Amino acid sequence: MKKSGYLLACILIVTSLLVACEKEDVSSISGDNGGGNEVTPTPTVSIEDEELKSDEDKEVKEDEKAKDDELASKKDLENETNSEREEEIIKEFLSKIPLKATKPVEYRFFNTSVHDPSIIQVDDTYYIFGSHLAVAKTTDLMNWTAIANGVTKGNPVIPDAMTEMEEAFTWAKTNTFWAPDVIQLEDGRFYMYYCNCEGSSPLAALGVAVADKVEGPYKDLGIILKSGYPRNVPDEDGNVYDANVDPNAIDPCLFYDKDNRLWMIYGSYSGGIFILEMDPKTGFPLEEGYGKKLLGKNHLRIEGAFVQYSEETDYYYMFLSFGGLAADGGYNIRIARSKNPDGPYYDSAGNDMIECQGPAGTFFNDRAAEKYGVKLMGNFHWNSIEGEEEGARVGYISPGHNSTLYQEETGKYFLIFHTRFEGKGEMHQVRVHQMFLNEDDWFVVAPYRYVGETIGTYTKEDVVGVYKMINHGREITHEVKKSTDIFLMEDNTIIGDVQGRWELKGDNTCILTIENVTYKGVFLKQWDEFGLKNVMTFSVLSEEGVALWGSGYEAKE
């Protein structure tokens, strides 16, 4: 009995414990923890469930990618189809227009080779002075007569220059002149600002000579500035000369401002471009030292500054050449402007040109320089199609070191520069192109050389058509920008290599909108010297400082 009672008691105890455990489990699961607060149980996820979910996500992503690829493929196919359709439209238009003139249109030229041409007008004649004492003249900006060339005793402009400017040649350790500038001062005489430079360093002298007649002979008045001083000799500022920040004393340009004050802008590479106010009576600086810096530092390849004031806009336009002058140097013409002759100068994007500097410790950093200035012109080539040509097209290579001219009697602006040519090495000649002010008061350059044309009033019928288009971009590069084809259509859309819209405003204002970028300039009928025909052209500029040129295929009367 005792043993049986003991076993019964054990069974009862175990049963009680099991019941208690079951209640505890139920309480945990139901969330009853004695405080009345519910606790959400953490679900248990198996490894198999995780793998299944991962596979499902992967499948969804693959499906999404497949759909994206399909859409992209359809879009590419649509673009390709549109492109093919546009090509057919352009071909059809070109098949219906005259690609050649009924009779070849021809002009006569006498070209000249004057490097770094600086122009001055005297009565009805225009003179250009350039490096190596090269001088030429013209009455129509098309036919030039050479006056002088070479630093020789027989040069009529400066007879026996080696003796006349002995101090400058000795300092600069050279036997030639670089880019000069000639201006007539208030005494009626002509002042030539000459420069000599060693070449591989900024060892240079900038001086002035005077003559009663523009063709000379010029007599030396002395040196104005020197650069490249040795460390033990104080420079023009009284400091140790530093080629990273101080100027190379070459490439002078003299100009009067609207208040009849005289200025000289100068400099090349090295520390940049500088400006000095000059005495209009003596032709010498009003102040000592190198003057005020306008841009440059650490040997950026920028030189050949020239300033043109416009009464129309009340701006001073500073033209510059970026890059290297040789055929492989990527020389190109840029511009900035200011309300004051001595700056600050800004480009069309609003960049202050004083910020145009090379990084410390660098030489010829074109990537830093090309961010600044409005690029008006660089290397380019007009392509052609079968049935159009009268002669092989030869593009400009390294156009630069320009001067400008405003003709008061006609209201025309001109760009005068030297350029090399495709396939002709370092051979160079002078070219003259017209310039026009666009709606934003920036100059745009006519695509072809000047032959006496005057901008006219054009109709929509005049300008609708297929054009070759040059995008000059912003780069400093030896590469040649080749033309592509676009169609300015009757419905004011643009198709071809680019898409957008175009507008003819007023008599001749051209506005193109391409990929949400607006370009402003002019339409102009010009002579295509290679096609021997007259064509409609356009020249436009964006706020970002990119120039586009267009040349129509159709031969116009």
Side-chain angles (χ1 to χ4, degrees):
M1 286 294 292
K2 287 182 180 178
K3 188 174 181 180
S4 299
Y6 176 77
L7 289 172
L8 180 60
C10 287
I11 290 169
L12 289 171
I13 291 168
V14 170
T15 301
S16 298
L17 289 170
L18 288 171
V19 171
C21 287
E22 286 177 2
K23 286 182 178 179
E24 177 116 7
D25 289 341
V26 171
S27 175
S28 296
I29 293 171
S30 67
D32 185 5
N33 59 5
N37 296 322
E38 293 186 358
V39 177
T40 304
T42 303
T44 303
V45 181
S46 68
I47 294 174
E48 290 81 1
D49 289 341
E50 288 182 352
E51 290 177 347
L52 181 61
K53 188 173 185 303
S54 176
D55 289 342
E56 289 175 349
D57 290 344
K58 187 176 180 181
E59 287 177 7
V60 170
K61 288 179 179 177
E62 288 177 350
D63 287 344
E64 290 175 349
K65 185 177 184 303
K67 289 178 181 177
D68 289 342
D69 289 345
E70 184 179 356
L71 286 172
S73 179
K74 285 181 179 178
K75 190 172 182 180
D76 288 343
L77 184 60
E78 185 180 334
N79 289 339
E80 187 176 337
T81 303
N82 288 339
S83 179
E84 290 173 354
R85 189 181 300 119
E86 289 178 359
E87 284 183 15
E88 290 303 317
I89 292 172
I90 289 173
K91 284 181 181 177
E92 183 180 359
F93 181 87
L94 290 174
S95 69
K96 295 178 179 179
I97 62 171
L99 296 175
K100 291 184 178 182
T102 305
K103 180 182 178 182
V105 181
E106 297 182 284
Y107 289 89
R108 187 187 70 168
F109 296 93
F110 286 110
N111 295 314
T112 191
S113 294
V114 176
H115 210 268
D116 315 317
S118 178
I119 195 163
I120 178 174
Q121 180 177 358
V122 181
D123 298 325
D124 295 329
T125 303
Y126 306 96
Y127 294 84
I128 49 175
F129 290 77
S131 290
H132 316 300
L133 213 54
V135 183
K137 64 182 178 180
T138 180
T139 56
D140 61 6
L141 300 174
M142 295 166 56
N143 297 282
W144 297 89
T145 300
I147 295 174
N149 188 33
V151 182
T152 65
K153 288 186 177 182
N155 191 310
V157 177
I158 308 179
D160 196 9
M162 293 295 292
T163 301
E164 186 70 27
M165 283 81 170
E166 182 180 3
E167 182 185 2
F169 284 109
T170 301
W171 173 266
K173 299 180 180 178
T174 184
N175 59 4
T176 193
F177 288 109
W178 286 22
D181 190 39
V182 174
I183 188 170
Q184 189 173 21
L185 298 186
E186 57 185 47
D187 64 2
R189 296 192 297 172
F190 296 91
Y191 290 74
M192 177 191 286
Y193 291 81
Y194 63 85
C195 57
N196 313 80
C197 186
E198 187 269 338
S200 64
S201 74
L203 183 65
L206 193 162
V208 61
V210 66
D212 293 327
K213 297 180 180 179
V214 67
E215 294 186 24
Y218 285 85
K219 301 293 291 183
D220 190 30
L221 294 178
I223 294 174
I224 295 173
L225 298 171
K226 294 178 183 177
S227 60
Y229 282 90
R231 295 188 63 82
N232 63 340
V233 179
D235 66 12
E236 305 294 349
D237 287 329
N239 303 317
V240 175
Y241 180 81
D242 182 353
N244 295 300
V245 296
D246 293 323
N248 183 8
I250 63 171
D251 292 359
C253 162
L254 279 288
F255 67 97
Y256 283 102
D257 68 15
K258 64 181 180 180
D259 298 317
N260 221 31
R261 293 163 68 189
L262 183 66
W263 300 86
M264 180 176 75
I265 190 170
Y266 71 100
S268 167
Y269 290 46
S270 298
I273 306 299
F274 287 68
I275 190 166
L276 277 166
E277 186 169 3
M278 310 293 281
D279 186 339
K281 297 185 184 299
T282 66
F284 280 78
L286 286 174
E287 55 189 305
E288 294 184 353
Y290 288 125
K292 179 182 178 181
K293 181 187 294 235
L294 297 179
L295 65 101
K297 190 178 183 180
N298 294 319
H299 307 278
L300 288 185
R301 299 199 298 171
I302 302 174
E303 62 183 9
F306 192 94
V307 175
Q308 172 72 60
Y309 174 69
S310 170
E311 264 188 37
E312 296 174 62
T313 66
D314 195 31
Y315 277 112
Y316 296 89
Y317 295 89
M318 175 173 61
F319 292 80
L320 299 157
S321 292
F322 281 47
L325 62 85
D328 61 356
Y331 225 32
N332 62 96
I333 300 172
R334 303 197 180 211
I335 189 174
R337 72 186 184 189
S338 175
K339 285 294 185 180
N340 303 299
D342 59 343
Y345 282 83
Y346 296 89
D347 64 20
S348 60
N351 296 311
D352 188 338
M353 295 300 288
I354 195 65
E355 302 297 329
C356 181
Q357 303 177 357
T362 64
F363 285 79
F364 309 162
N365 192 316
D366 289 344
R367 302 294 78 80
E370 67 190 14
K371 299 174 185 177
Y372 295 85
V374 176
K375 184 179 176 184
L376 296 180
M377 179 196 305
N379 298 350
F380 69 91
H381 174 93
W382 297 111
N383 288 325
S384 60
I385 59 174
E386 186 178 352
E388 178 192 13
E389 289 311 300
E390 289 291 345
R393 291 182 176 268
V394 179
Y396 288 4
I397 302 295
S398 288
H401 208 125
N402 71 281
S403 54
T404 64
L405 171 70
Y406 175 66
Q407 266 184 350
E408 292 187 6
E409 62 271 26
T410 64
K412 293 180 180 180
Y413 292 94
F414 296 95
L415 186 73
I416 300 94
F417 57 96
H418 73 250
T419 184
R420 288 158 173 77
F421 303 91
E422 286 182 297
K424 297 185 181 294
E426 298 302 324
M427 188 278 285
H428 56 84
Q429 290 180 343
V430 172
R431 288 293 182 267
V432 178
H433 286 224
Q434 248 195 112
M435 298 191 297
F436 303 90
L437 288 162
N438 73 4
E439 282 192 336
D440 294 332
D441 293 337
W442 286 100
F443 280 112
V444 295
V445 180
Y448 288 108
R449 70 187 303 183
Y450 179 68
V451 294
E453 74 273 0
T454 298
I455 196 166
T457 298
Y458 309 115
T459 66
K460 190 172 188 179
E461 183 181 1
D462 291 328
V463 300
V464 166
V466 178
Y467 290 76
K468 310 167 189 184
M469 187 183 78
I470 299 285
N471 183 337
H472 283 286
R474 292 192 53 80
E475 312 94 324
I476 299 172
T477 177
H478 69 278
E479 294 179 1
V480 179
K481 302 284 187 176
K482 295 183 181 293
S483 66
T484 56
D485 291 343
I486 66 169
F487 191 173
L488 305 189
M489 298 187 70
E490 180 72 30
D491 64 357
N492 291 97
T493 59
I494 303 172
I495 66 171
D497 189 64
V498 298
Q499 286 74 43
R501 297 193 62 80
W502 68 274
E503 181 182 0
L504 167 63
K505 286 180 65 177
D507 293 341
N508 45 51
T509 295
C510 174
I511 299 179
L512 307 184
T513 303
I514 300 169
E515 296 179 358
N516 296 318
V517 177
T518 300
Y519 300 80
K520 300 178 181 180
V522 298
F523 287 106
L524 174 69
K525 187 188 289 187
Q526 281 200 284
W527 179 62
D528 175 350
E529 65 177 300
F530 302 105
L532 299 183
K533 60 184 177 180
N534 293 319
V535 297
M536 188 58 66
T537 71
F538 64 76
S539 180
V540 292
L541 186 71
S542 73
E543 189 176 282
E544 292 75 20
V546 175
L548 306 180
W549 287 356
S551 172
Y553 277 96
E554 183 176 359
K556 301 282 188 178
E557 294 299 325

